[in-house]
């Protein structure tokens, strides 16, 4: 039987799917694994778009990866950091990221 009118909206309303993480897999050497010691860091004065992106990432980790990470403002957290920032030299709708041990820059 086909879908009822507008029934697709129920599927689309679920942004992050649950239980996407395979806990049997281990992080290969040389890779960075986000764990509960990480925090998502947003700068003071972050606009609504950046705050929504940070909250969305936090929800993704919680819902899909079964991982709780804190959301903090311009703090030096104990443990790893996922840092949101804005580079005014970049064009709209572009992004850059950098990953090193203990820090992910977005």
């Amino acid at each position: 039987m086909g879908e009822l009118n507008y029934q697709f909206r129920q599927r689309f309303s679920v942004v992050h799917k649950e239980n996407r993480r395979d806990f049997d897999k281990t992080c290969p050497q040389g890779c960075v694994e986000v764990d509960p010691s990480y925090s998502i860091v947003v700068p003071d004065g972050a606009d609504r778009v950046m705050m929504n992106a940070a909250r969305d990432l936090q929800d993704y980790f919680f819902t899909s990866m079964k991982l709780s990470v804190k959301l903090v403002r311009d703090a030096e957290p104990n443990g790893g950091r996922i840092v949101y920032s804005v580079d005014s030299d970049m064009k709209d709708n572009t992004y850059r990221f950098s990953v090193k041990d203990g820090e992910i820059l977005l």
Side-chain angles (χ1 to χ4, degrees):
M1 180 175 157
E3 221 173 36
L4 298 175
N5 289 340
Y6 300 102
Q7 191 173 5
F8 68 91
R9 294 179 76 189
Q10 290 174 322
R11 284 194 324 274
F12 288 167
S13 70
V14 177
V15 178
H16 300 125
K17 308 253 188 275
E18 291 191 24
N19 303 320
R20 303 277 300 190
R21 186 173 182 178
D22 183 353
F23 286 95
D24 293 331
K25 290 187 177 182
T26 57
C27 185
Q29 188 170 352
C31 293
V32 173
E33 180 177 6
V34 175
D35 62 33
S37 73
Y38 272 73
S39 296
I40 299 169
V41 181
V42 292
D44 279 334
D47 64 9
R48 187 170 39 123
V49 173
M50 185 180 289
M51 287 303 300
N52 286 344
R55 287 186 188 116
D56 183 62
L57 181 60
Q58 183 184 39
D59 183 59
Y60 167 77
F61 281 125
F62 187 80
T63 303
S64 298
M65 298 290 117
K66 300 296 183 209
L67 181 65
S68 293
V69 294
K70 290 185 279 189
L71 182 62
V72 297
R73 286 189 184 271
D74 267 344
E76 286 295 325
N78 298 331
R81 303 166 8 121
I82 301 170
V83 182
Y84 274 91
S85 65
V86 174
D87 183 347
S88 59
D89 293 335
M90 293 181 66
K91 295 180 181 180
D92 287 344
N93 299 317
T94 61
Y95 63 93
R96 176 181 19 214
F97 67 93
S98 169
V99 180
K100 61 183 178 181
D101 194 30
E103 186 171 71
I104 301 169
L105 302 175
L106 305 173

